[in-house]
Amino acid sequence: GTGDQRTIRVLPRYVFNEVDPTPPRTIRRTSLYQLIAFVTHPSSFRDYQEPWLMESYTPQGEQLDIGNAMGYKVMRVFREFKHNNVDGFNIYSETIGKQIIQGRQPIPDFVIEFALADNAYPTDYLMLTAPPTFRLQRDGSAPWSPSSCIGITILSPPKAAASKYGAGSPATCGYNIMRLPLTNFMTTLQGGQTVEMKFDLSNPEISSHEWENFWIFEQFKGEGDKLLSSAIMAGWLVIPKLWNANCALTGNLKAAGEVTTITLTYRGVQAASEVLIQNLKPTGFDFTNSFSRAVISGRASVPQIMIAGKDVLRLVMLVDRYDNITLNVEGVRLPLKPGASQWNVTTFALIDWYSPPELRDADVFVGFAVPGRISVHKVDGKTGDVNAGLLGARDSELTFFLNSSAALEPGDVLQIALEGASQGGFVMRLDGSAALRGPTGEPVGAWGCATKMPEVLRPGSADASGANPPGNASKGANGSNASAASGALAVLPWTTDGKTYDCCSGFEVVSGSTPCDKKVARLLALRLFAHIPAGTLLALQVSVKTPSNRTTFLLERWRMTFYRGAFEDSVEDSAFMVSTNDAARVPLSVVTLLPTILMLVPYRPPMVRVPVTMNFNPLDTNAAAFYIEAPPGFAFPVDCFVGVADMPAGSQCIGLKGTSRAQLQCGPQGGTSCFAARNTTFKVDLPSAMAPGNIDWYVEAVADPSLLPGSIEALQAILGWTQPVGFRIDSMPSRVIYAAVAGVAVDIAISFESRINLTDGGYIYIVAPTVLKEFRCGNDERGLIQSLTLGPDVECKFIEEPLGVRLRPQGTLPAGLQVLTIPALTALTDPRPELNMFEIYLRDRNGTNLEVALRIPGEHVVQGVRLSIWPLRWVQAINFATTVQVTVPVEILDDADISLHGLLVVPPTEPRLRVVPDGVQVDTAYGAALPLTGVSINEDHVLLRLDGSRKLQRGLYLIRFSIYVPEAEPRFNLWQVALCNSSMAVSESKCSLNSGLPSADRSEERGEAVMAVFALPGFNPKQEGPGKLPRVAAASTAHQPVSEVALLFTLLSICALCGAPG
């Protein structure tokens, strides 16, 4: 800056460095220099030349040289000169787009728009000069010859655009210059008139130098070639495009998410020192731990890594112009998402240490398709009736449960190839049974030969099956070969090495034999005929012959690969890998069948720890341990041994926490031989409930118990296997009985049949439904709990949460049937069945469950009638009396809304109390008389028949009859009174209780007409009865006064109940 806008001052380039002794650069004598300056022309044209002055000075300001050079004329400038290859709005297409800067890339609809400064006549001509690297001359034409230009179309003015001779046809070109006579424009171009010209233009391979990267348009007068006006506009930077850029997947592992090798190949245009590799999609390539090797035009190189991370790799790699580059990048982790990969490769050159690297070449291209991952989640085997694949060349059915992380399409081919062990390994049966099924069992793929379609295989395998899979390392998603595959896909039958292989079997066709005689192969192809979304669970069913021994089995690998385009006419050019498992290990176990094991379980209530006895035999597996797997919900304690005789010291049964599995071994060092030929008893905790379905257990003999259960390594370590038939949990037989009349105090009879003794100190915990209004050890209406069979002096404690009572008998309670009654207050409404459940727990003094009964259904609430059966009253049998009178008080608490047709009284059993058949007396304490229509009396019951057309009214009634005095008090001393509905009108047998004791199934105990059953604790006729009547359970809100006669009768009745002679 000199302050004079027409003067520039130039200093030789110099950067001071105190440790650098190199002197500053100087302009030397006799040397020729070129100075390029960018200037702004004056605003008006000048049709003459003016000199330019140059002077040189020393650093101290002393003048050295002086000289001048003649300048040039300043011509008139076009009023407009622009093009449409720009970022943003395109003036021609009227769309928004990106500027096209890639080398050798066509520029669609490239338009130059200009307006001249003055008129141009048909005798004039235009000269367009492109930047030096552009080519306006048509390929194959001679310079300046007719039709030597690239395609030119005049778009405006309209008259020129419509010229029948073609306004642009006279143009001739020489490399980057075009001369266009205006002969065919058919009109004079007016000054300021817009002219649009479209060119079939492509970017050059390389950009012009920055001071040559300009377009020049000039107007010449036809006579004398006089320059009339001109214009200049800046060009655009052209990024050279790499030649034959491609990225291929060349590592052995190809599934999404694997660590593998990719190979990048290209030919550069300019010399470069760095290369930047960016993955555009699918994102997720990880170069963090990668290592690169390069071959540069035959020269080996190890590039230096500058940046290695997610989807980006930047290397230092010195290459010259047009070098052929092969770059192998090892240790790249593929993305988890499959799909066609897209890459942006850019090269840079470092000019000096003071400036950032300059961009050289670039290319954006589609590489290989990242295959999806085939994940095999489990493999089910079946050999005959055994649910496992068994060693020993047996015929087995295998079902692989798998999914692909890439979506699959109809026509895709699933190829299953066996690798590792050829002789004695797996072979697949080619009987048409192989199938691929969807998540609901629907067929989605079938065997190629079964569907009359060609099978895709690769020839040239040493294995008779030709089981080498086709390579896909280089197949691009666009169907083009990214690089030459090793081997070619082919359609069977094929001939190679002088041998012919058959389509159906894959085996050599021997002269004189029928193709497919052997019907087995180590390679199989299935074709899909349905769309399969990514992640869909599929079931691959294959019939196989298993390996002869375990050593061979462990060598085997199952390679599963989906190909697309394998049935097209041009197989080699179109087929590419869609998804693969890379022959990874599958959770397949083929085992030795161990002897059947019988399980001995003495009892099996829920939520109880029980002993289980089994006999284990490892046969010849020489296993290190046994694994026992129970059904879901079961659990083994950490130390689960009960013990066996003569076991080696240190023998272990170890429950695996959080699982249904236990590990058995002969000692700390392992081994299973000690379990042979003897019974082994262990402990297992039973669940509260079991899911419906399979109850089988599994016993596995394993080689290494330290492996993670369920892992592929653990599955491979299974040596022997058997499937004992298990058992279902069996609740302690239990039953509750009570008349669930709404809001009435009742005795709830509870019976249970224990299969073990409850030792001294143990207790019974009975949990009642929370819908009951009361459930206690006693109340004012019903009295105390009656232990009946539990013995005297039973300790009872009320438990508030969860609602229940705890009973502790004195001494040991023997196994067998037990009965007791507990006072309670019924619910007002009928609860949901799941809320109306009782539970009974028999526990030792430490609170450990010994016997359990769960989900014991309560009674349904009866609506429409409210009555109460008071506790029984009796006359004591004195001296040698053989009969006693029994009174059953029945109180109707409210007028009934439904009809009753019968009252049935059943005495207890074992031994049964027999009714004296000399009549029944029914007295009314208050209220209207019962609508009796008859009485049936039998030694095992009393039945009162009622008039169902008359609904019961509020009142108290005393039903009296006599029983024979038994020699001993009944063991199950429980009376029952049943209410019966109209069904008994058909037959009295429908109002019946088939047993004096409630059974586990009400349908077996009760007749069809029974609505509700009251449970009443029994008595000993030889003992004195209660001294007074209990209080009425629910008082009436209002009632009519009783006459003197009725009152006297009532008092007499009460005296009779109190024990007075009746």
Side-chain angles (χ1 to χ4, degrees), residues 445-700:
W447 179 40
C449 288
T451 55
K452 306 299 182 186
M453 295 177 183
E455 190 171 358
V456 178
L457 299 173
R458 179 170 151 196
S461 170
D463 187 351
S465 66
N468 288 341
N472 180 51
S474 59
K475 194 62 62 178
N478 58 1
S480 64
N481 276 325
S483 69
S486 82
L489 295 173
V491 177
L492 289 180
W494 78 84
T495 300
T496 184
D497 298 331
K499 298 178 181 179
T500 301
Y501 294 91
D502 171 70
C503 168
C504 293
S505 69
F507 276 93
E508 181 184 357
V509 178
V510 181
S511 177
S513 68
T514 303
C516 306
D517 272 351
K518 297 183 180 181
K519 290 288 186 181
V520 292
R522 286 176 58 79
L523 185 143
L524 189 65
L526 289 83
R527 185 180 185 186
L528 271 66
F529 44 76
H531 170 74
I532 308 296
T536 302
L537 186 64
L538 303 174
L540 170 64
Q541 298 171 332
V542 185
S543 300
V544 302
K545 186 177 287 293
T546 61
S548 56
N549 55 68
R550 185 164 300 279
T551 301
T552 305
F553 164 70
L554 294 176
L555 294 174
E556 289 286 57
R557 294 291 183 272
W558 292 74
R559 184 179 294 276
M560 301 180 183
T561 309
F562 282 100
Y563 290 97
R564 184 163 297 159
F567 288 111
E568 304 296 333
D569 293 336
S570 180
V571 175
E572 183 177 355
D573 289 338
S574 61
F576 65 93
M577 185 183 294
V578 177
S579 195
T580 181
N581 74 334
D582 283 328
R585 290 194 174 193
V586 298
L588 168 63
S589 177
V590 179
V591 301
T592 299
L593 182 63
L594 301 180
T596 303
I597 297 177
L598 296 178
M599 304 180 63
L600 302 178
V601 188
Y603 67 107
R604 44 188 185 277
M607 303 175 65
V608 173
R609 180 171 292 176
V610 300
V612 178
T613 301
M614 302 172 72
N615 189 308
F616 302 97
N617 191 341
L619 293 182
D620 59 353
T621 60
N622 194 27
F626 281 115
Y627 271 129
I628 307 170
E629 183 172 349
F634 286 68
F636 293 88
V638 175
D639 182 7
C640 49
F641 248 150
V642 172
V644 296
D646 304 324
M647 289 293 291
S651 298
Q652 298 174 312
C653 176
I654 306 170
L656 304 182
K657 188 176 180 180
T659 71
S660 300
R661 293 167 64 91
Q663 175 184 323
L664 274 72
Q665 57 190 42
C666 291
Q669 304 303 319
T672 54
S673 58
C674 63
F675 295 101
R678 55 163 55 96
N679 287 333
T680 303
T681 303
F682 52 87
K683 296 170 285 188
V684 63
D685 296 329
L686 304 187
S688 61
M690 292 179 64
N694 194 351
I695 62 172
D696 291 340
W697 289 44
Y698 297 91
V699 175
E700 300 169 352

Side-chain angles (χ1 to χ4, degrees), residues 235-357:
W236 55 89
L237 179 67
V238 175
I239 307 299
K241 181 180 180 181
L242 298 172
W243 286 93
N244 304 322
N246 182 57
C247 190
L249 178 58
T250 53
N252 292 328
L253 301 180
K254 304 180 187 300
E258 289 290 354
V259 176
T260 187
T261 300
I262 65 173
T263 299
L264 179 69
T265 58
Y266 64 89
R267 183 185 183 192
V269 177
Q270 302 184 86
S273 57
E274 296 179 19
V275 59
L276 175 63
I277 304 167
Q278 294 175 295
N279 169 65
L280 303 180
K281 65 178 183 179
T283 57
F285 281 85
D286 190 355
F287 296 93
T288 304
N289 299 314
S290 64
F291 177 77
S292 302
R293 302 175 189 271
V295 177
I296 305 171
S297 294
R299 171 175 56 89
S301 174
V302 179
Q304 177 187 347
I305 296 176
M306 297 178 63
I307 299 174
K310 296 287 187 181
D311 297 314
V312 62
L313 178 66
R314 188 161 190 159
L315 306 172
V316 174
M317 188 169 61
L318 298 176
V319 298
D320 207 347
R321 297 180 61 202
Y322 299 109
D323 268 339
N324 291 311
I325 312 300
T326 300
L327 179 64
N328 290 309
V329 185
E330 305 170 11
V332 181
R333 184 174 293 279
L334 299 177
L336 295 176
K337 182 180 180 180
S341 62
Q342 188 176 31
W343 301 86
N344 182 8
V345 177
T346 311
T347 64
F348 298 87
L350 186 64
I351 304 303
D352 54 46
W353 295 107
Y354 315 110
S355 304

Side-chain angles (χ1 to χ4, degrees), residues 738 740-744 771-773 825-831 861 863:
Y738 58 97
V741 178
V744 174
V771 295
L772 293 179
K773 295 300 181 183
L825 184 62
T826 60
L828 295 176
T829 59
D830 197 17
V861 173
Q863 302 287 357

